[in-house]
Amino acid sequence: EQRIRLAKRIATVQQQNMSDLDGAIGTYRRILEWTPNDQMALAALDTLLSETEQWHDLLPILDQQAALAESEETLVFGLRKANVYASELSDAASAINVLRELLASDRNETRVHAALEALVRDSGSREDAFSVLDTVLVEREEFERLIVLLDVLVSHREEASGRIEALHRMGSLTEEKLQDASRAFVCFGRALREDPEHVGSMAEVERLAAANGFWEELVTLLGNVSEETANPETQQTLRLRAGEILKDEVEDLDRAIASYCALLEDHGDLPAALEALDELYLRAERWADLQGVLQLQADTAATADERVGLFMRLAENAEHRLNNAEEAVQFYTEVFYVDASNAAVLAQLERLAKNGVQTELVTGLLLPVFSEQESWDKVHDVLELRLGCIDDPVDRGELLRRLGAINLE
């Protein structure tokens, strides 16, 4: 004991009067060889090793002090050890192991939580630190804090898949635990911006929009994502969906029309956009615009049957809504050239001819067809119509001769 007291006095002189810190450290180590549990020597070494930044040598001293301390002080020494690893030795993995051991003793110790959170925010081992803290925060139902830390991971993960995974979990927690559908929509929207072709992200924003009426927000999101992506096909898909939402959910016909028109300007005559404009112009009763869209659809139709149907609609729209019977004849004529035996177009052409609309042209088309069909009553009617619009005496004579022959038969 006398030797220990003398050694302590020597160490004090070395430290305070001689500024011989290394000498003092050596003296205190010698004291610990004699009496390993001397708390005064341990505390002095703690101070000296910290001052001289001998961090590796400090670690076992902290362990010795923790082993001798009461429970509260044990925690303090453990936290200091974790801090030495993390801050002084840049060894976040070892710091996390220390903190994991501390949590095993008390999972509700908030100072350990704070130390792990600091590692999540600023260390190369943030994923490991988060995995330790994750389950604790779930147990404590600290969901807001968990969401904030997940956002930290998003900002540091290099792979889009990892960021999307974290954002999806943020969205689920926000919706299910915090009952905040609006924030959840933002989280899933961020995930969609990471990968505009991600089916899961799109399904989530669609689901939240349908359940909460977030249609305007979804239109804005799809517009932003389409501007950010370089893939033309993905752009088209997103913009088509935005237009569809404006048309069917928001029911803003003018904005929907503007959306589809802009899409056509940027990407050409997309069939889906033309079909949507077809419907919109019908609903808005914009007949002249409808005529233009029908013409574009007819020009790009894939089959003859599709073209026939569109030309029939063009003719009907021209005559009955635009009051342009002559243009109607032109479209019925287009159908005639595709299918001269089409009964519907023959009937319409005959009706228009009887109404005096381009009678000479129409009867010239109908006469050979009705003659081939041996529809003599119709041939007779067409000849009479044609007679009414022919002035040349020779041509009129020929028509009268044919009329007479038909009457005799």
Side-chain angles (χ1 to χ4, degrees):
E1 291 180 3
Q2 189 174 12
R3 182 175 55 180
I4 291 171
R5 284 196 299 273
L6 179 59
K8 287 180 179 180
R9 290 181 60 189
I10 292 171
T12 301
V13 172
Q14 288 173 316
Q15 179 181 358
Q16 297 179 357
N17 299 104
M18 301 174 63
S19 298
D20 183 6
L21 301 186
D22 289 338
I25 290 171
T27 302
Y28 282 121
R29 287 191 184 281
R30 195 173 306 114
I31 293 171
L32 289 176
E33 291 175 1
W34 299 332
T35 173
N37 295 332
D38 190 306
Q39 295 186 351
M40 180 270 180
L42 288 169
L45 268 178
D46 185 338
T47 300
L48 287 166
L49 292 172
S50 297
E51 288 181 10
T52 56
E53 299 183 356
Q54 298 182 51
W55 306 117
H56 286 289
D57 293 336
L58 175 61
L59 294 172
I61 300 302
L62 292 174
D63 286 337
Q64 284 181 263
Q65 292 180 97
L68 297 171
E70 300 293 333
S71 59
E72 170 63 21
E73 291 183 335
T74 298
L75 173 65
V76 172
F77 286 120
L79 290 170
R80 285 188 59 206
K81 183 178 180 181
N83 184 64
V84 169
Y85 274 124
S87 300
E88 309 301 344
L89 299 177
S90 300
D91 186 355
S94 294
I96 292 168
N97 288 333
V98 172
L99 295 170
R100 184 185 287 111
E101 292 173 1
L102 294 176
L103 276 181
S105 300
D106 184 359
R107 294 183 67 78
N108 292 317
E109 177 49 61
T110 57
R111 285 170 291 181
V112 177
H113 302 166
L116 283 166
E117 182 173 340
L119 289 170
V120 173
R121 292 180 179 278
D122 186 27
S123 82
S125 299
R126 60 177 49 84
E127 295 284 351
D128 292 335
F130 178 80
S131 68
V132 175
L133 189 56
D134 185 355
T135 55
V136 175
L137 295 181
V138 171
E139 290 170 7
R140 292 169 56 84
E141 298 186 353
E142 292 188 48
F143 299 116
E144 186 69 62
R145 189 176 183 183
L146 181 56
I147 290 166
V148 170
L149 293 180
L150 281 165
D151 208 2
V152 173
L153 297 186
V154 171
S155 65
H156 288 89
R157 285 181 174 175
E158 296 182 359
E159 297 293 330
S161 59
R163 296 193 294 271
I164 291 170
E165 178 188 9
L167 286 165
H168 275 226
R169 190 169 176 211
M170 288 168 61
S172 297
L173 287 169
T174 303
E175 180 183 13
E176 297 167 11
K177 303 301 183 181
L178 302 185
Q179 305 295 308
D180 191 338
S182 180
R183 281 181 63 189
F185 181 87
V186 172
C187 293
F188 288 116
R190 288 174 61 191
L192 184 64
R193 296 177 84 155
E194 291 286 346
D195 180 3
E197 298 179 18
H198 195 280
V199 175
S201 300
M202 180 62 78
E204 291 297 333
V205 293
E206 289 271 9
R207 178 184 62 80
L208 286 165
N212 300 279
F214 296 157
W215 296 117
E216 287 285 4
E217 292 84 350
L218 183 52
V219 169
T220 300
L221 172 65
L222 295 176
N224 291 336
V225 176
S226 69
E227 290 178 359
E228 293 166 4
T229 182
N231 187 320
E233 292 184 3
T234 304
Q235 288 180 354
Q236 292 175 21
T237 300
L238 294 169
R239 294 176 68 181
L240 282 169
R241 181 57 184 143
E244 185 179 14
I245 293 169
L246 288 170
K247 172 171 68 74
D248 297 331
E249 306 298 343
V250 180
E251 296 187 339
D252 187 332
L253 301 191
D254 289 339
R255 286 172 63 201
I257 288 170
S259 175
Y260 283 118
C261 287
L263 183 57
L264 290 176
E265 288 180 6
D266 294 339
H267 295 281
D269 299 332
L270 295 175
L274 292 173
E275 290 172 10
L277 284 172
D278 184 338
E279 177 188 344
L280 286 163
Y281 287 142
L282 272 173
R283 288 166 60 181
E285 299 184 354
R286 290 171 56 170
W287 309 123
D289 292 323
L290 175 62
Q291 197 75 346
V293 166
L294 291 173
Q295 183 67 69
L296 284 173
Q297 287 180 286
D299 292 342
T300 57
T303 67
D305 287 343
E306 290 179 7
R307 286 194 296 275
V308 166
L310 288 162
F311 281 133
M312 293 293 285
R313 289 185 60 200
L314 279 161
E316 180 183 355
N317 191 55
E319 180 181 5
H320 299 296
R321 297 181 179 124
L322 298 177
N323 298 315
N324 191 339
E326 291 192 356
E327 186 176 35
V329 168
Q330 294 176 20
F331 290 118
Y332 284 131
T333 301
E334 294 287 348
V335 177
F336 179 86
Y337 288 136
V338 175
D339 181 8
S341 63
N342 187 303
V345 78
L346 293 175
Q348 293 300 328
L349 284 170
E350 185 178 5
R351 176 183 61 80
L352 287 164
K354 288 179 178 179
N355 291 337
V357 181
Q358 298 196 39
T359 303
E360 184 176 357
L361 170 65
V362 173
T363 55
L365 296 173
L366 297 178
L367 194 54
V369 176
F370 290 155
S371 297
E372 184 178 347
Q373 294 175 350
E374 297 184 354
S375 300
W376 303 119
D377 288 341
K378 290 186 177 295
V379 171
H380 181 278
D381 292 343
V382 169
L383 286 171
E384 285 193 334
L385 288 171
R386 193 163 180 79
L387 187 62
C389 62
I390 297 295
D391 295 325
D392 184 87
V394 176
D395 291 339
R396 288 178 62 80
E398 177 61 23
L399 290 173
L400 288 168
R401 184 191 67 74
R402 292 183 65 182
L403 274 171
I406 290 171
N407 288 331
L408 285 173
E409 292 178 7

